[in-house]
Amino acid sequence: MSSTHLPSPDSLTRRRIVHAATSAWIGGAFVSSLAHAQSARRATPPQTEGPYYPVSEPKDADFDLLKNGDLTYTAGQMAWVTGRVVDLDGRALSGGSIEIWQCDQDGHYDHPRDGSRSNPAFQGFGRVVLDSAGNFRFRTIKPVAYVGRTPHIHAKVRLAKRELLTSQLYVAGDPGNAKDSIWRRMAAEDRASVTSPFLATPDGLRAEYEITVRT
């Protein structure tokens, strides 16, 4: 075999350096840090809570934002917002909880800073406990824009008394996204993790999100 086909001592040294740099001693064995990095998930980006988080616990705070006590909200496009919450290793956040809150069809929140102008039939806030697979489901409306913001839903994940994440969920393809000061500042990968299409189903619109938290 020609010597031109044999690796030079310098190239062998470079390979050893690269191998050492991309390996880590984990659990008593060397594991490629590149493979480990590829297996880890990207955390859902944290975002501002905003000025309209409830100042007190709502009397009705279940999964159905279209029923507020004895009142039923009929405006807007009914939508199921569903998904799953996992940790960076893809394990379900079983027993955790997720809250969502959003404005009504006219762009108003049930909050003093917004003049408490929301429709009283719209619950506007909901909380559910994640099941054993980390799944959640809410019945609400497709979010709408209001002055200065593209349509979005606020979300907060907790585990016991710890707050793990506050973020916002967006509507794929909405023309307001590119103009929104928060959405447009995110990296493309982060946008993808919090943006979902609202697709038509026999039971109304449905959007699905996978939320990844640091525990």
Side-chain angles (χ1 to χ4, degrees):
M1 180 181 293
S2 170
S3 61
T4 58
H5 292 87
L6 296 175
S8 68
D10 286 345
S11 67
L12 288 173
T13 300
R14 286 195 296 270
R15 290 182 190 179
R16 293 189 185 104
I17 292 172
V18 170
H19 177 73
T22 58
S23 301
W25 185 258
I26 299 175
F30 276 109
V31 177
S32 167
S33 61
L34 291 178
H36 181 70
Q38 289 172 355
S39 67
R41 292 168 175 256
R42 187 182 184 91
T44 298
Q47 296 191 358
T48 176
E49 182 180 88
Y52 302 127
Y53 185 78
V55 295
S56 60
E57 178 76 16
K59 292 182 179 179
D60 195 346
D62 62 3
F63 81 101
D64 191 352
L65 279 65
L66 303 186
K67 294 279 292 183
N68 193 11
D70 296 330
L71 303 176
T72 300
Y73 191 66
T74 58
Q77 294 179 274
M78 192 277 280
W80 292 98
V81 174
T82 66
R84 186 167 180 253
V85 182
V86 298
D87 65 16
L88 291 174
D89 293 318
R91 294 173 297 202
L93 192 71
S94 175
S97 65
I98 181 170
E99 306 167 358
I100 66 168
W101 66 100
Q102 67 186 103
C103 65
D104 65 14
Q105 182 64 20
D106 295 319
H108 298 307
Y109 286 86
D110 181 16
H111 195 282
R113 295 188 65 176
D114 195 26
S116 299
R117 294 178 293 167
S118 68
N119 190 308
F122 185 55
Q123 186 173 294
F125 175 92
R127 178 190 298 114
V128 297
V129 175
L130 304 171
D131 69 14
S132 60
N135 295 318
F136 64 87
R137 182 182 69 157
F138 292 97
R139 191 171 80 119
T140 183
I141 59 171
K142 181 180 179 181
V144 299
Y146 56 88
V147 177
R149 289 305 314 277
T150 195
H152 63 281
I153 297 173
H154 296 269
K156 187 184 294 289
V157 178
R158 302 179 190 271
L159 184 61
K161 295 183 178 181
R162 289 194 299 137
E163 181 179 319
L164 302 183
L165 175 73
T166 297
S167 194
Q168 298 179 31
L169 310 175
Y170 298 88
V171 181
D174 192 280
N177 290 345
K179 303 174 184 177
D180 188 80
S181 60
I182 296 177
W183 190 90
R184 71 186 182 190
R185 285 201 303 264
M186 286 188 285
E189 297 90 340
D190 289 337
R191 291 175 185 168
S193 71
V194 293
T195 308
S196 174
F198 278 66
L199 302 176
T201 75
D203 193 26
L205 299 177
R206 178 178 175 179
E208 187 169 4
Y209 300 87
E210 181 164 277
I211 297 173
T212 302
V213 296
R214 302 178 187 274
T215 57

